Structure formats: C-alpha cells, structure tokens
Amino acid sequence: MANPEFPAGPPERFWQLKPWWCQPWSILTTGIAVPLASWWLLHWWWLTAASGLAVLLWWWLFLVQVPAEWRRMVESQANKTP
C-alpha cells in the first residue's frame, strides 16, 4: 500500500524534504555563528562553551541521527513492498 504522503515513494535523500533553511549548509553555518557571536558579544567563555556544546548536540541530532533514521525507515519500507 502506498503512503499518501509519498505516492511515488519517499525521496531517496532526507534533505530533499527540507526547506533551504534546514539544509546541512545552513545548520553548519548557524552552528558556527552562534558560539562566535556569543564570544564576540559577551566574552564569557562559559557561555560560549555552553553554546558550543549545545551546537554539537544539535549537529549530532540533525546531521547524523535524523538522516540515519530516515535511511532505516526508507529501507524498511522498501523491504516490505513486494
């Protein structure tokens, strides 16, 4: 049975579903800008370190985990269809 969201099947790449502001290049650019802006504006190392840690977690989640889960989901659906 076809998924109503993807009548022709899901896109091969997870990033084909995302708008321009949620692409890897924009996630990386924003993730670099946040700690830099924190340091440039405040010069508080602990806030810059905390924002850098939050960015690393964000990158791991959205650049590694979510696309990997998408791939697993697409593969499992491909294995179910005859």
Side-chain angles (χ1 to χ4, degrees), residues 6-81:
F6 309 115
E12 280 186 37
R13 295 187 57 233
F14 170 73
W15 301 110
Q16 291 172 328
L17 297 170
K18 299 296 174 188
W20 68 267
W21 50 265
C22 195
Q23 293 294 319
W25 64 267
S26 64
I27 294 172
L28 289 171
T29 303
T30 305
I32 291 168
V34 167
L36 287 176
S38 168
W39 181 252
W40 184 67
L41 292 172
L42 303 171
H43 293 286
W44 292 343
W45 70 266
W46 56 271
L47 187 60
T48 301
S51 67
L53 186 61
V55 163
L56 289 175
L57 179 63
W58 178 44
W59 281 351
W60 176 77
L61 180 65
F62 287 105
L63 296 175
V64 178
Q65 288 300 110
V66 172
E69 187 58 36
W70 171 261
R71 238 181 338 271
R72 283 191 288 272
M73 190 244 343
V74 168
E75 288 170 359
S76 74
Q77 285 184 351
N79 291 338
K80 288 181 185 177
T81 55

